[in-house]
Amino acid sequence: MISRLHYFERVTSTMDVIHQLASEGAPAGTAVIAGEQLEGRGSRGRTWHSPLGGLWLSVVFQPPAVEGIEVISLRAGLAVAEAIQARVPKPLQLKWPNDLMLEDRKVGGVLCEARWQGEALGWVAVGIGMNVRNRIPDELGAVAISLSDLTPDITVEMIAAPVLAALRGLDFRSGRLSRDELSQFSRRDWLQGRTIREPVVGEVTGVGEDGALLVRTASGSNLSLRSGTVELAAVSQSR
Ligand code: BT5
């Protein structure tokens, strides 16, 4: 039988390993978990701190088309939040485009990377990082949190299986968020109703079915942001 879950004590990044496996023909659903990542990454070249004690996981998929990679990221975050909510005493919220929030601090993040084979989409790797009981670096102490801060007994083993099952169960047939997904997202939407100052000034009204962030500006126009990093108008909450 082909082993579809690979565990490593230490890797550069589970994304590197999953891309390597996919390039060797690993089927959709193949997953990599690492105890520790030495070069864990976020989006746009940012660093993702990944010491021992967190869940560092990547899964490969072969979606029919790449349209809606933003949607894949939101869908993955939503599925993960729903899968582990029962183990966390406070709401897990989602901050567009890819953050998982707990008590107004970042507890996890999603990273999607597509790889092409010539003109065609080869595969999409979805990575999820979740602080479970790992140490948070001092410089992130005010903005990051671990699940164990609220659930002292929680372990990576307790959440790895539900998170993996949720990701493997993702349905890629639609490149658009369904009405149900939108209302689920809205219930967990951390940005909704908040005023942002970057990349535009306005109030966040939600996300659209294409995964874009919806913002109403002071002049009353409605904007749709496809990508970018959001900064709140309040000084204390930016990333
Ligand atoms: C993310 O990026 O939030 C996506 C993180 C994805 C990590 C997973 S782990 C498994 C797989 N393998 C990888 O190498 N990556 C994926 P972004 O939105 O760009 O956020 C990055 C920012 O989050 C950094 O610039 C820091 O400010 C902050 N950060 C870094 N490490 C953190 C941590 N452990 N907890 C909370 N915040 C962190």
Side-chain angles (χ1 to χ4, degrees):
M1 194 183 96
I2 301 168
S3 168
R4 296 207 302 150
L5 172 59
H6 302 259
Y7 176 80
F8 299 88
E9 281 181 18
R10 188 177 297 128
V11 295
T12 52
S13 159
T14 55
M15 299 304 269
D16 296 339
V17 181
I18 203 76
H19 285 305
Q20 180 62 34
L21 291 171
S23 73
E24 291 163 4
T30 301
V32 172
I33 292 185
E36 182 181 3
Q37 299 186 115
L38 301 177
E39 294 170 27
R41 59 181 180 257
S43 54
R44 299 158 187 253
R46 294 174 181 138
T47 297
W48 182 259
H49 295 279
S50 329
L52 278 174
L55 176 64
W56 323 125
L57 163 69
S58 295
V59 186
V60 69
F61 298 100
Q62 259 115 25
V66 78
E67 57 143 344
I69 193 139
E70 301 87 356
V71 167
I72 293 176
S73 184
L74 294 177
R75 203 170 255 160
L78 194 53
V80 168
E82 299 278 331
I84 61 170
Q85 182 64 75
R87 302 210 173 260
V88 187
K90 293 283 171 67
L92 282 161
Q93 293 187 285
L94 298 160
K95 181 182 171 196
W96 185 93
N98 57 359
D99 295 353
L100 282 137
M101 306 290 288
L102 182 62
E103 300 245 282
D104 294 334
R105 291 191 278 169
K106 182 158 171 169
V107 69
V110 178
L111 179 66
C112 292
E113 293 178 344
R115 288 289 184 271
W116 300 85
Q117 291 175 315
E119 297 281 287
L121 175 64
W123 61 84
V124 171
V126 177
I128 165 93
M130 178 77 66
N131 298 321
V132 183
R133 50 189 321 109
N134 50 292
R135 216 182 75 75
I136 302 286
D138 292 344
E139 71 269 22
L140 294 177
V143 291
I145 191 169
S146 284
L147 294 176
S148 64
D149 291 336
L150 296 192
T151 310
D153 296 339
I154 201 158
T155 61
V156 172
E157 290 70 24
M158 285 178 199
I159 66 157
V163 168
L164 182 54
L167 291 179
R168 282 178 169 163
L170 287 176
D171 183 351
F172 293 105
R173 277 171 300 180
S174 169
R176 310 214 138 225
L177 294 169
S178 69
R179 192 185 280 259
D180 279 355
E181 286 174 319
L182 284 173
S183 64
Q184 272 183 347
F185 192 92
S186 172
R187 284 196 290 276
R188 296 192 182 276
D189 191 345
W190 188 83
L191 278 174
Q192 198 166 30
R194 293 184 195 252
T195 304
I196 59 171
R197 61 180 166 91
E198 289 288 346
V200 293
V201 178
E203 185 188 315
V204 174
T205 55
V207 298
E209 58 174 24
D210 59 354
L213 186 72
L214 306 177
V215 181
R216 187 164 44 236
T217 66
S219 63
S221 42
N222 292 307
L223 301 180
S224 185
L225 306 178
R226 294 305 301 263
S227 63
T229 297
V230 167
E231 284 188 33
L232 294 192
V235 280
S236 60
Q237 301 278 355
S238 63
R239 56 163 226 173

